[in-house]
Amino acid sequence: NLLFMSHVVRTPTPPKSFILTGRTIGSIERNVLAPLEEFTGRTIRMNNFNQFHLGAHRVCCFGTADETSYKAMQGMTSFGWYANEVSTHHPNSIIEAFQRCSGEGTRVFWDTNPDHPFHPVKTEYIDHSGLRGADGQLLLKSFHFTLEDNEYLTPEYMEQVRRTTPAGMWYDRRIKGLWVAAEGIIYESFHRDKHMYDPKEIEIPEDWRRIRGIDFGTVHPFVMLWGAIDPDGRLYIYREYFKTQTLIRGHAEHIKKVSGEERYWWTVSDHDAQERLEYESHDIPTQPAQKAVLLGIDRVAQRMVDQIDGRPRVMISQDCPELLRQLGTYRWVEMQDGKPYREEPLKVDDDGPDVLRYMIMELDNNTTPIISKGFRGGR
């Protein structure tokens, strides 16, 4: 943020344009504008065209999540570019932003958290750190940081982050700053002796909030999980239902029978509109699940990590043997030589983990925006 701001304000007049990109306009507000306000002690507002001024110069902000986002940049001349979390940008926007940076004295600044080691940001740029032009001028330089390199974090905070970060890929990327592949077992922190509980020892009180999740299926299993949330926010999965080759009416009758008089905060499900309507006609109303796969896996993995009391935030009843089995075998797709790299779960025995992901996403990924009064309005 400071490097980009310094470059902008030191650029000679007359007024010039600069590019600032993030995955969304909202992420730019959170990750760039809020810190700049703190640094400068002044209010920074975007206008209706997602632009703001630093000194005499204009900074134009662009979201880059979609393949057509780049079109908003076309035609402009930029004297500098700052990309926040560039590994989340669509490649089209990266290419277009480079083409726009034709002004004399242009500098480009990127920041990012690590992703997989075959990501183009890694292979096409970071791996070429130290590249020099024909005249010997340095063209590209990358810097690698770990959690401990942040001088503003207290030792207590860093220890908390290390303790609560899931094992494996997440720890290597977030703590060590490494570009590592997602491979092997997805939930490396999952252990039966830690995440399984005996329902005879832990009974679910009537006043705990209860929730349900559904993954529709005919050939693949229809899956439903029942969960309860204790006063500390810990999720207990206390009942499962896996069934194939059964009509909707049969599923509905079983669900209502085992649910009895229980009342549910909500039931999340797959998005199939027709099936949701049919279950609603059987008095099983649902709401569509948040289905972002990688984000959802991340949220589940975070709940599997031990908290300050030494216990994880998700527990599975031993009466849910199929879910317990699938969580222990849930794997990443192996990368095949010559095929594009994608991080995704193997579509085998994934039905139970999918439903657990729907439920935890609804609990931990609140979609209601919380807008700071410092943005787009008066203070």
Side-chain angles (χ1 to χ4, degrees), residues 17-19 58 60 62 73-78 99-100 102:
S17 295
F18 296 80
I19 291 174
R58 178 180 62 174
C60 304
F62 302 96
M73 303 182 207
Q74 290 179 327
M76 70 176 293
T77 297
S78 177
Q99 294 178 347
R100 297 303 101 215
S102 58

Side-chain angles (χ1 to χ4, degrees), residues 181-197:
E183 54 185 354
I185 295 296
I186 291 178
Y187 295 128
E188 296 184 48
S189 298
F190 175 74
H191 301 285
R192 282 175 174 257
D193 58 350
K194 181 171 65 173
H195 294 95
M196 185 176 72
Y197 76 93

Side-chain angles (χ1 to χ4, degrees), residues 126-149:
I126 291 177
D127 287 348
H128 296 281
S129 178
L131 179 68
R132 294 183 179 272
D135 59 358
Q137 181 180 8
L138 183 66
L139 299 179
L140 191 156
K141 179 67 176 176
S142 70
F143 302 86
H144 170 248
F145 302 99
T146 67
L147 178 71
E148 288 76 13
D149 289 320

Side-chain angles (χ1 to χ4, degrees), residues 261-274:
E261 299 300 318
E262 295 174 352
R263 294 293 178 263
Y264 303 98
W265 192 14
W266 41 252
T267 301
V268 290
S269 73
D270 250 336
H271 289 189
D272 188 284
Q274 183 60 40

Side-chain angles (χ1 to χ4, degrees), residues 275-293:
E275 293 211 42
R276 291 183 60 229
L277 283 172
E278 292 191 40
Y279 279 100
E280 186 166 357
S281 71
H282 290 280
D283 297 321
I284 304 175
T286 65
Q287 62 189 56
Q290 301 178 54
K291 298 188 69 173
V293 177

Side-chain angles (χ1 to χ4, degrees), residues 11 18 40 71 114 123 156 252 352:
T11 300
F18 296 80
T40 62
K71 294 182 179 181
T123 60
E156 294 78 13

Side-chain angles (χ1 to χ4, degrees), residues 9-50:
V9 299
R10 290 174 181 173
T11 300
T13 53
K16 297 177 174 64
S17 295
F18 296 80
I19 291 174
L20 173 56
T21 56
R23 179 170 174 78
T24 64
I25 294 299
S27 64
I28 292 174
E29 291 180 326
R30 290 188 301 272
N31 300 341
V32 183
L33 298 196
L36 283 181
E37 286 191 332
E38 183 179 351
F39 294 150
T40 62
R42 54 166 287 196
T43 300
I44 299 176
R45 297 283 182 273
M46 291 188 201
N47 61 22
N48 292 336
F49 302 99
N50 294 326

Side-chain angles (χ1 to χ4, degrees), residues 194-245:
K194 181 171 65 173
H195 294 95
M196 185 176 72
Y197 76 93
D198 185 345
K200 296 178 182 177
E201 298 178 359
I202 301 178
E203 296 186 6
I204 307 297
E206 291 185 5
D207 61 345
W208 285 10
R209 281 184 167 178
R210 297 175 186 252
I211 60 177
R212 299 183 297 191
I214 298 175
D215 190 32
F216 302 131
T218 304
V219 177
H220 286 279
F222 172 97
V223 178
M224 187 163 189
L225 301 178
W226 285 256
I229 306 160
D230 75 7
D232 293 326
R234 186 170 282 108
L235 172 63
Y236 290 81
I237 301 298
Y238 63 90
R239 185 184 296 137
E240 70 175 19
Y241 173 62
F242 286 72
K243 187 73 171 178
T244 58
Q245 303 295 334

